[in-house]
Amino acid sequence: MTAKIIDGNALSRLLRAEVTARVTALKARGITPGLAVVLVGDNAASQVYVRNKVKACEDTGMHSVLERWPATMTEEALLERVAALNNDAGIHGILVQLPLPAHIDAQKVIEAISPAKDVDGFHIASAGALMTGMPGFWPCTPYGCMKMLESIGYELKGKHAVVIGRSNIVGKPMALMLLQQNATVTICHSGTANLKAMTLQADVVVAAVGKRNVLTADMVKPGAVVIDVGMNRNDEGKLCGDVDFDGVKEVAGWITPVPGGVGPMTITMLMVNTLESAERLL
Ligand code: GUN
């Protein structure tokens, strides 16, 4: 058996076209959705990510502001910038790129962002809203994974979903979103005694650990949907996920590739969140 591919680039193109149309409609009513991206320091991966976020804004007709600050920026100065952006009527979404330099308390900075502009969905108010099923911004990566499941018409009710990883930005919100769609959810992590015994029972596996080959063919139930959130480099320096793609694709029913899977969906959902933040002003 060879799994069908869930193409994150194709789905992103489709969703971004919808976003572009809604941005155009909003502009006609006098509102241009605006995203502020704040980068502190010169982390190489972060520079690529923020460039892609700004480019996605340009492509969908949104306004964007990229603030670059030196790694020596103080926490106080960053909190002041966040406060200014909270009060900037032209900005509907604020994203402070992580990681921040070690002398800055990242959680404190995230909590300083107005929940109404927290398009990353990292604020505790956003996390609480997701947990209780109240309206609020969902973190973009797990939100993108849900859109990928939706795109194949997958019914989660009654299914067993296994999430590998328990981070605040992917694993935990992913589990809550799957639960909201009535899946039975198991969260596995570094303390899980027998990961394979869990994943073999899964109709859906989401791998979000940040380590190569966390999920191999012998750990997957035939026909399962496999979503790979990982972004790693293999020995040849090539981008790869957490899943052994070549092996698992022979067992799974559906699989997301890396690159071209979850990655583009994350930025697409950031555009959706920013647009929806602006639409709330109507
Ligand atoms: N660093 C890596 N991914 C992300 C993300 O989605 N948002 C922010 N703010 N920082 C990140």
Side-chain angles (χ1 to χ4, degrees):
M1 178 172 180
T2 299
K4 291 185 194 142
I5 303 290
I6 311 179
D7 182 341
N9 283 322
L11 181 57
S12 279
R13 271 196 296 277
L14 210 70
L15 293 173
R16 289 189 201 192
E18 272 174 37
V19 167
T20 305
R22 281 163 68 187
V23 168
T24 305
L26 207 53
K27 281 175 157 174
R29 299 180 67 171
I31 301 169
T32 301
L35 175 69
V37 179
V38 182
L39 174 62
V40 184
D42 45 19
N43 181 295
S46 291
Q47 309 229 22
V48 176
Y49 292 145
V50 300
R51 256 203 313 275
N52 289 339
K53 288 168 187 177
V54 168
K55 165 130 192 342
C57 285
E58 285 166 4
D59 292 347
T60 51
M62 292 193 210
H63 167 61
S64 65
V65 177
L66 172 56
E67 291 196 9
R68 293 169 179 275
W69 296 95
T72 50
M73 184 187 210
T74 64
E75 182 181 285
E76 191 188 3
L78 180 55
L79 290 170
E80 270 173 31
R81 284 310 307 144
V82 169
L85 292 166
N86 283 339
N87 291 320
D88 184 337
I91 293 298
H92 306 93
I94 302 170
L95 183 149
V96 178
Q97 187 66 26
L98 303 178
L100 286 168
H103 66 276
I104 297 177
D105 180 344
Q107 198 57 42
K108 193 169 167 186
V109 173
I110 289 165
E111 299 318 328
I113 296 171
S114 162
K117 297 189 180 186
D118 176 37
V119 288
D120 251 337
F122 292 172
H123 195 287
I124 47 172
S126 303
L130 170 59
M131 203 191 89
T132 52
M134 300 296 285
F137 293 115
W138 285 8
C140 302
T141 298
Y143 192 8
C145 295
M146 293 304 285
K147 284 283 174 195
M148 294 179 108
L149 288 169
E150 191 186 306
S151 77
I152 60 166
Y154 196 80
E155 168 66 58
L156 281 160
K157 185 178 175 189
K159 300 295 197 323
H160 185 194
V162 169
V163 179
I164 316 173
R166 55 174 155 179
S167 71
N168 288 336
I169 65 175
V170 184
K172 281 189 239 174
M174 184 81 249
L176 290 167
M177 290 174 200
L178 292 162
L179 182 63
Q180 199 174 90
Q181 293 299 312
N182 300 308
T184 300
V185 182
T186 300
I187 306 179
C188 297
H189 45 79
S190 51
T192 297
N194 189 344
L195 179 62
K196 181 176 171 178
M198 296 295 154
T199 57
L200 275 174
Q201 295 176 39
D203 302 301
V204 177
V205 183
V206 181
V209 175
K211 215 169 78 185
R212 282 161 57 194
N213 298 329
V214 161
L215 192 75
T216 47
D218 57 308
M219 300 167 74
V220 176
K221 182 160 103 172
V225 182
V226 175
I227 311 267
D228 190 351
V229 179
M231 279 270 217
N232 312 297
R233 298 264 168 199
N234 67 14
D235 294 334
E236 291 86 52
K238 238 181 81 189
L239 204 61
C240 67
D242 291 354
V243 174
D244 170 27
F245 182 86
D246 289 337
V248 170
K249 79 172 177 2
E250 299 304 323
V251 184
W254 292 89
I255 190 166
T256 68
V258 177
V262 174
M265 290 300 295
T266 296
I267 297 187
T268 298
M269 300 327 290
L270 176 68
M271 298 300 107
V272 169
N273 279 349
T274 304
L275 167 66
E276 291 187 352
S277 177
E279 284 177 340
R280 283 174 196 177
L281 298 178
L282 289 177

